[in-house]
């Protein structure tokens, strides 16, 4: 072993600059490939951390144009929630809220990543974001309650427990029912807090994002045609000419929905990076 080591060292030192350059190039190439693979793994596994992710779908459709939308009239959501569709196990409707000021005492910040839903929403039944404080089964049951992330809890309440404390949304007091872990980066649902708005889905017309949990072994295409045929649209401009139930893990990279689509990835960029990584490794 000693002879082999000495021989290798001698050969290395004969062309030390060339060999160091080779080793450095190989190391940088491997590091670049590793980083590309980590990024690709992150992009390809969006929303798969939910326990029932492959049973969850977002309702998307075309109305009177050629664009796809995920933020559709609430009339379809109401009908699908009526209980007359056995294919649907559970349903959640949510909306992005406008950027607003939140305050606790003298502490006041503008928050841009806000979701709102109706009281009694099953949001945390469909999406299993990690609950740190509070009871999962009753997080959004009451009107004007709010669930916040750990970062927001520390920002507004410091080291104190925020549960049952009041967080003011402009002039509306919201009771904190839960603290969840910061939302993972590999989800299209980007939010720092979600609150219940009792007037959000009243008898009027509203746009909303609808997520459905479907029973096993159902024909998704058949359900899409069924939804398209529902005569519940607010007016002719909100009637659905095409319907697509987009699987939750596919939303980030494959959804073509425009308005109300939340975060969206770029499959072309991802494929280019994978090709570049393969070429680096080959070289």
């Amino acid at each position: 072993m000693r002879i082999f080591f000495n021989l290798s060292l001698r050969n290395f030192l004969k062309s030390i600059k060339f060999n160091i350059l080779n080793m450095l190039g190989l190391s940088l190439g491997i590091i670049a490939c590793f980083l590309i693979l980590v990024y690709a793994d992150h992009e390809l596994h969006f929303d798969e951390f939910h326990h029932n992710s492959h049973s969850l779908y977002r309702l998307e459709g075309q109305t009177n144009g050629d664009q796809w939308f995920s933020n559709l009239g609430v009339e379809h959501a109401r009908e699908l929630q009526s209980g007359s569709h056995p294919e649907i196990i559970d349903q959640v409707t949510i909306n992005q809220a406008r950027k607003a000021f939140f305050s606790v005492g003298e502490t006041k910040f503008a928050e841009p990543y806000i979701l709102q839903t109706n009281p009694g929403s099953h949001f945390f039944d469909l999406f299993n974001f990690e609950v740190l404080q509070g009871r999962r089964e009753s997080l959004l049951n009451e009107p004007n309650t709010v669930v916040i992330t750990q970062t927001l809890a520390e920002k507004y309440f410091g080291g104190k427990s925020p549960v049952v404390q009041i967080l003011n949304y402009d002039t509306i007091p919201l009771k904190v029912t839960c603290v969840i872990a910061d939302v993972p980066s590999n989800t299209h649902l980007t939010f720092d807090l979600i609150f219940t708005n009792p007037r959000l889905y009243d008898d009027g017309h509203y746009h909303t994002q609808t997520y459905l949990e479907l029973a096993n072994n159902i024909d998704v295409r058949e359900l899409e045609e069924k939804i398209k045929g529902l005569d519940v649209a607010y007016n002719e401009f909100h009637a659905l000419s095409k319907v697509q139930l987009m699987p939750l893990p596919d939303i980030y990279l494959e959804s073509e929905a425009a308005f109300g689509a939340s975060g969206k990835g770029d499959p072309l960029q991802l494929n280019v990076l994978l090709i570049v990584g393969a070429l680096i490794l080959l070289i």
Side-chain angles (χ1 to χ4, degrees):
M1 288 295 295
R2 189 185 306 161
I3 292 171
F4 177 76
F5 176 77
N6 289 335
L7 182 62
S8 299
L9 180 62
R10 203 175 300 128
N11 288 332
F12 181 83
L13 293 175
K14 279 183 182 178
S15 306
I16 186 169
K17 291 182 180 179
F18 179 75
N19 288 325
I20 288 176
L21 187 63
N22 272 343
M23 291 178 63
L24 184 62
L26 179 62
S27 301
L28 290 175
I30 291 174
I31 290 170
C33 291
F34 175 76
L35 291 175
I36 288 173
L37 285 175
V38 169
Y39 174 76
D41 181 70
H42 176 270
E43 295 290 285
L44 291 170
H45 293 90
F46 257 62
D47 289 305
E48 289 188 0
F49 60 89
H50 301 293
H51 66 279
N52 55 348
S53 62
H54 293 283
S55 300
L56 299 180
Y57 296 79
R58 184 172 71 181
L59 176 61
E60 300 181 359
Q62 284 184 350
T63 52
N64 59 336
D66 57 356
Q67 274 194 314
W68 284 91
F69 297 94
S70 62
N71 204 326
L72 301 167
V74 74
E75 297 80 23
H76 287 87
R78 287 196 192 105
E79 171 58 29
L80 295 176
Q81 208 166 20
S82 65
S84 56
H85 304 279
E87 305 95 332
I88 300 172
I89 297 174
D90 207 346
Q91 176 178 333
V92 163
T93 49
I94 60 173
N95 281 82
Q96 294 178 350
R98 60 181 174 82
K99 179 178 179 179
F101 281 99
F102 285 79
S103 63
V104 174
E106 298 299 316
T107 305
K108 186 176 183 180
F109 294 100
E111 302 296 344
Y113 302 114
I114 310 166
L115 292 181
Q116 55 183 328
T117 187
N118 56 296
S121 171
H122 293 175
F123 182 84
F124 287 97
D125 293 332
L126 265 66
F127 306 110
N128 61 322
F129 295 105
E130 183 184 357
V131 174
L132 301 179
Q133 299 179 43
R135 297 172 62 241
R136 176 178 288 274
E137 59 270 18
S138 59
L139 300 186
L140 299 170
N141 283 358
E142 301 174 10
N144 297 326
T145 54
V146 62
V147 172
I148 61 177
T149 61
Q150 187 174 20
T151 295
L152 254 65
E154 293 171 356
K155 183 161 70 170
Y156 287 99
F157 298 96
K160 300 177 182 178
S161 173
V163 177
V164 308
Q165 300 298 319
I166 298 299
L167 178 64
N168 295 300
Y169 172 43
D170 284 342
T171 58
I172 302 172
L174 302 175
K175 184 175 76 172
V176 179
T177 58
C178 172
V179 177
I180 61 172
D182 289 347
V183 174
S185 60
N186 59 338
T187 177
H188 79 285
L189 291 167
T190 304
F191 68 99
D192 290 320
L193 55 91
I194 178 170
F195 72 96
T196 55
N197 182 346
R199 296 176 296 278
L200 185 59
Y201 308 123
D202 56 17
D203 293 333
H205 173 67
Y206 209 91
H207 285 258
T208 182
Q209 292 189 64
T210 301
Y211 293 84
L212 306 173
E213 181 180 5
L214 302 184
N216 293 329
N217 303 319
I218 70 157
D219 189 333
V220 175
R221 302 286 85 83
E222 186 176 312
L223 181 58
E224 289 174 347
E225 290 300 314
K226 197 172 176 181
I227 294 172
K228 188 175 75 171
L230 295 175
D231 187 19
V232 295
Y234 177 66
N235 57 34
E236 59 182 299
F237 300 108
H238 291 85
L240 298 180
S241 58
K242 290 183 181 178
V243 170
Q244 183 172 24
L245 292 173
M246 178 62 67
L248 186 72
D250 297 341
I251 290 174
Y252 180 69
L253 284 177
E254 297 185 20
S255 174
E256 297 179 29
F259 180 55
S262 300
K264 182 162 174 54
D266 187 346
L268 176 61
Q269 174 183 284
L270 179 61
N271 290 331
V272 168
L273 277 174
L274 287 172
I275 292 170
V276 167
L279 289 174
I280 291 173
L281 193 60
L282 182 63
I283 292 170

